[in-house]
Amino acid sequence: MDVQDIIKEENLVYTKTKLMTDNVLSYCPGCGHGTANRLVMEVVDEMGIQADTIGVSPVGCAVFAYDFMNIDMTEAAHGRAPAVATGIKRVWPDKYVFTYQGDGDLAAIGTAETMHACNRGENITIIFINNGIYGMTGGQMAPTTLEGAKTTTCPYGRDVKTMGYPIKITELISQLPGTYFVTRQAVDTPANVRRAKKAIRMAFENQKLDKGLSFIEIVSSCNSGWKLSPVKANQWMAENTFKYYPLGDIKVNGELVSK
Amino acid sequence: MKELRLMKGNEALAEAAIRAGVDAFYGYPITPQSEIMEYLMAQKTQERTGMVTLQAESEVSSINMVYGAAGTGKKVMTSSSSPGISLMQEGISYIAGAELPCLIVDVVRGGPGLGTIQPSQADYFQATKGGGHGDYHLIVLAPSSVQEMYDFVKLSFDLAFKYRNPAMILSDGLIGQVMEKVEISEQIPRTTSFDPSWTITGKTPDRERNIITSLELDSAVMEKRNEKLQAKYQKMQETEVRYEEVQCEDADYIFVAYGSSARICLKAVQIARQKGIKVGLLRPITLFPFPTKPIAELSKRVKGFLAVELSAGQMIEDVKLAVNGRTKAEHFGRMGGVVHTPGEVLEALEQKIIGGK
Ligand SMILES: Cc1ncc(C[n+]2csc(CCOP(=O)(O)OP(=O)(O)O)c2C)c(N)n1
Ligand code: SF4
């Protein structure tokens, strides 16, 4: 049976998101980036705001998001997306502006830009894909890499004594009064995908209401970087990553969610 | 009646930005240019014209804010001084690569490193030769008076938009701080229409999505992009060179100097003429594109050029390339924030050119 036989009307449970272009995704099969890209475009489509949305794509695996998202976009230097988005939003306050960044981008080289955009309460949406590794450059250690996890630059496992602790950037920025909605989601199961989409929708709605900064972490797998099959990677993530990076809302309507 | 005001160079530049209909200024404080943002803040630019003035957390951030807003077609600018400009180089390379118009002001101070807050011209290389990574150029304008600090803001934006290229005003601590009379122009309203062919203002059904990027993984395509950039710089060299000549018609010797060095050379020309030495001054106004042709022409008949700079000798390289061995070309400079006197300049001319081998 070839692909064309499978893609039949009666077999389809899902159709291609309208605002995704026809370009073939450059993400590895099984990677969370593809799903996350799609969710953002679904929200933009459902809200009917394509003509008012400007995206900022980062350095990292998602740099080519502009090839897949059918909206106006600008590419940003490594880590600088929150500053680029600030520059845009301040001169176009009525547009929806979002960044889409990886953990190396947002929590390492771009820590200052992230902190300060959050602290100023820029009325933008930050979508943060945390896969605990540098995917694009071949699987080096990220600031979010779990203790003991092996990467190409910590081949014997991350030793926190010499390499520091995995950083919970989302919890950190939730402490800043400038952030309005801070949440951690995942896209590994259909239920989690639905929750993640709801959070993205909420973030864009907040922007419409001029509420300030919404920050959505999406815990994701990098099956290539982790050297696991897509299924195994998702299992490993559910068993290990979610323990250190628990899913759920951290701040809603400007108030920390008490746990 | 024209409006005249007594202003500092930095203040004049800031007022010019408001009156040129600039949409946003993103910056970070550093001496000797902090008055620019201070003035804008004091003027409540948002109320006056709708112009955004925002203090970023760093120069890295401010240049990236400029990059973001420039992609939307707005008139945006930043200003800084030497160590801050070094930090901006990453962003400047991206802006040049993505071909975005904007204005970057460098009020140069002495270096290297933290250096001094006194005037210098030692940023010539990083302003005119790229500065960041990759092959690119800025359009570089060098004011030598407070009036030019004012006038060059509008001129920079005109050129930046004409070529979709970042422009730089390369000033220094002296021009930034000195007070002079300035003629103030009328307020230009801020633009409300944006070129839909390239700006990212939101994809509408009538056009394809626009993308601002400097990335291209296909080397053959990337080479084409580079060739397009180089053709643009070539066109600037043919059509945008600006310079001023003072008493060059009958001159035997020529000072080449820009910015505050040019002011000092002007006095040295006067003193020399009183002594009966026929000296002229060629003042480059655009440092990129550089006035190569007029210097080459003069080199066919004069006995020598002295490049006078507040540096160890940077512009002299461009002067020598223009002279191409036809006659003498030497350099005189002071460094680290020390400003030369007209007497010193004349003495250097006498020793290095007139008496030199
Ligand atoms: C200034 C600079 N330093 C380093 C790089 C190389 N680089 C490209 S992507 C990347 C890491 C990206 O990791 P992450 O943000 O986690 O995204 P992922 O690829 O995992 O999705 C690095 C270090 C660069 N492009 N620019
Ligand atoms: S390298 Fe990792 S993050 Fe990048 S596309 Fe592949 S799986 Fe996804």
Side-chain angles (χ1 to χ4, degrees):
Chain A
M1 216 194 322
D2 69 17
V3 181
Q4 287 314 315
D5 295 323
I6 301 168
I7 309 176
K8 277 194 183 134
E9 198 69 44
E10 64 267 28
N11 290 334
L12 289 181
V13 287
Y14 225 86
T15 49
K16 189 169 82 61
T17 308
K18 254 200 351 243
L19 293 193
M20 290 294 276
T21 64
D22 290 333
N23 293 332
V24 177
L25 292 183
S26 53
Y27 309 116
C28 308
C31 175
H33 270 308
T35 314
N37 272 214
R38 195 194 79 205
L39 292 184
V40 179
M41 284 304 95
E42 280 182 6
V43 167
V44 170
D45 183 28
E46 285 163 19
M47 288 176 73
I49 55 171
Q50 181 191 27
D52 293 309
T53 302
I54 301 171
V56 185
S57 78
V59 158
C61 282
V63 67
F64 286 116
Y66 57 68
D67 273 349
F68 317 133
M69 299 182 176
N70 193 13
I71 52 167
D72 277 1
M73 288 191 83
T74 184
E75 170 243 345
H78 198 14
R80 316 297 177 221
V84 173
T86 300
I88 298 170
K89 186 74 183 194
R90 290 290 179 124
V91 291
W92 291 96
D94 295 335
K95 301 280 175 189
Y96 295 83
V97 180
F98 73 91
T99 72
Y100 182 97
Q101 305 172 259
D103 43 81
D105 201 68
L106 182 144
I109 191 168
T111 326
E113 286 78 5
T114 303
M115 282 290 182
H116 288 277
C118 289
N119 192 48
R120 285 190 301 267
E122 296 296 339
N123 188 33
I124 58 172
T125 298
I126 294 182
I127 298 175
F128 165 43
I129 308 297
N130 178 6
N131 56 19
I133 205 161
Y134 287 11
M136 172 170 261
T137 41
Q140 296 86 4
M141 187 181 75
T144 46
T145 298
L146 293 179
E147 182 174 355
K150 289 178 182 162
T151 74
T152 59
T153 50
C154 52
Y156 306 106
R158 181 177 189 155
D159 174 6
V160 295
K161 264 200 219 128
T162 54
M163 298 162 185
Y165 294 86
I167 192 165
K168 294 187 180 181
I169 196 90
T170 307
E171 276 82 351
L172 268 175
I173 63 105
S174 72
Q175 301 299 318
L176 301 170
T179 51
Y180 184 75
F181 174 45
V182 180
T183 187
R184 184 182 284 120
Q185 303 290 333
V187 289
D188 58 328
T189 63
N192 279 345
V193 168
R194 274 196 294 275
R195 276 192 278 267
K197 181 170 168 185
K198 236 179 102 190
I200 296 170
R201 172 86 191 219
M202 169 91 83
F204 278 85
E205 295 287 354
N206 287 341
Q207 238 190 99
K208 186 165 45 188
L209 300 172
D210 205 5
K211 293 290 186 187
L213 198 134
S214 299
F215 189 97
I216 299 161
E217 173 175 343
I218 297 178
V219 181
S220 183
S221 70
C222 170
N223 41 293
S224 294
W226 297 359
K227 302 194 168 47
L228 294 170
S229 70
V231 174
K232 285 243 170 67
N234 274 345
Q235 279 170 359
W236 194 89
M237 179 168 78
E239 284 161 20
N240 300 283
T241 320
F242 293 168
K243 271 192 210 136
Y244 194 78
Y245 299 113
L247 304 187
D249 292 340
I250 298 172
K251 196 178 198 180
V252 179
N253 296 341
E255 300 289 340
L256 286 167
V257 177
S258 52
K259 289 236 170 79
Chain B
M1 249 272 292
K2 295 273 186 209
E3 188 184 342
L4 287 178
R5 285 198 207 165
L6 182 68
M7 293 180 109
K8 265 192 182 190
N10 288 335
E11 293 167 350
L13 184 133
E15 180 62 31
I18 301 170
R19 301 232 178 185
V22 170
D23 296 295
F25 176 96
Y26 301 113
Y28 188 78
I30 182 171
T31 312
Q33 63 78 53
S34 296
E35 294 88 355
I36 295 174
M37 196 179 2
E38 287 168 357
Y39 183 93
L40 292 172
M41 287 292 187
Q43 284 295 314
K44 297 189 176 161
T45 55
Q46 189 89 55
E47 285 172 30
R48 235 180 101 174
T49 64
M51 173 185 178
V52 171
T53 306
L54 180 65
Q55 179 170 343
E57 66 272 23
S58 68
E59 288 85 353
V60 177
S61 228
S62 32
I63 192 69
N64 279 285
M65 290 175 183
V66 169
Y67 171 79
T72 71
K74 296 268 183 178
K75 275 187 182 174
V76 281
M77 64 181 289
T78 185
S79 80
S80 190
S81 179
S82 312
I85 295 290
S86 296
L87 278 179
M88 286 185 189
Q89 293 299 351
E90 174 198 62
I92 296 175
S93 169
Y94 274 72
I95 292 171
E99 294 195 74
L100 299 179
C102 70
L103 170 60
I104 302 143
V105 180
D106 184 358
V107 184
V108 183
R109 61 191 238 176
L114 197 49
T116 163
I117 58 171
Q118 303 303 327
S120 163
Q121 295 180 322
D123 289 5
Y124 181 90
F125 280 152
Q126 75 163 354
T128 62
K129 311 289 179 192
H133 59 284
D135 277 318
Y136 73 89
H137 288 285
L138 310 177
I139 298 161
V140 185
L141 293 162
S144 83
S145 63
V146 175
Q147 185 68 54
E148 285 187 339
M149 283 289 263
Y150 187 95
D151 294 340
F152 287 1
V153 173
K154 182 176 179 299
L155 177 60
S156 298
F157 276 108
D158 289 347
L159 291 172
F161 274 87
K162 180 173 174 189
Y163 291 95
R164 273 187 64 188
N165 201 70
M168 175 178 270
I169 291 181
L170 188 73
S171 179
D172 63 57
L174 195 153
I175 307 289
Q177 295 297 329
V178 75
M179 284 187 104
E180 282 178 340
K181 192 173 64 180
V182 198
E183 195 179 304
I184 305 279
S185 52
E186 298 279 296
Q187 174 72 48
I188 301 171
R190 293 193 304 120
T191 314
T192 51
S193 64
F194 301 92
D195 184 350
S197 67
W198 64 271
T199 55
I200 47 162
T201 49
K203 186 209 166 311
T204 43
D206 56 338
R207 66 157 169 86
E208 287 295 296
R209 69 190 191 284
N210 281 334
I211 296 161
I212 303 291
T213 180
S214 54
L215 173 68
E216 179 51 66
L217 290 185
D218 182 337
S219 296
V221 181
M222 195 64 213
E223 185 172 47
K224 285 271 170 298
R225 271 202 186 203
N226 268 277
E227 283 165 0
K228 185 178 158 235
L229 284 181
Q230 295 305 319
K232 181 165 87 171
Y233 306 142
Q234 186 60 41
K235 185 144 185 258
M236 289 175 194
Q237 257 149 352
E238 283 155 19
T239 49
E240 302 301 343
V241 171
R242 287 167 169 77
Y243 62 98
E244 184 192 15
E245 281 186 19
V246 182
Q247 300 194 44
C248 286
E249 312 77 41
D250 66 339
D252 289 328
Y253 308 100
I254 307 255
F255 291 129
V256 186
Y258 66 95
S260 44
S261 285
R263 297 169 72 110
I264 292 154
C265 287
L266 212 52
K267 187 75 193 167
V269 168
Q270 274 178 19
I271 302 170
R273 291 267 169 183
Q274 279 160 12
K275 289 171 92 177
I277 312 169
K278 285 188 189 161
V279 187
L281 165 68
L282 188 140
R283 176 171 78 92
I285 291 173
T286 49
L287 296 178
F288 187 90
F290 191 73
T292 306
K293 269 193 199 148
I295 293 175
E297 278 308 312
L298 284 168
S299 72
K300 290 174 190 160
R301 62 168 178 80
V302 302
K303 294 178 189 155
F305 293 86
L306 186 69
V308 181
E309 303 172 73
L310 297 174
S311 78
Q314 300 193 9
M315 180 187 66
I316 178 66
E317 294 193 2
D318 288 329
V319 174
K320 279 192 170 166
L321 282 172
V323 171
N324 203 13
R326 278 181 287 264
T327 183
K328 275 187 250 179
E330 296 291 339
H331 168 261
F332 173 68
R334 299 292 305 263
M335 289 172 286
V338 178
V339 179
H340 33 235
T341 64
E344 279 172 0
V345 170
L346 191 53
E347 202 180 298
L349 180 79
E350 282 166 344
Q351 278 173 11
K352 295 185 177 207
I353 305 289
I354 301 175
K357 282 183 227 86

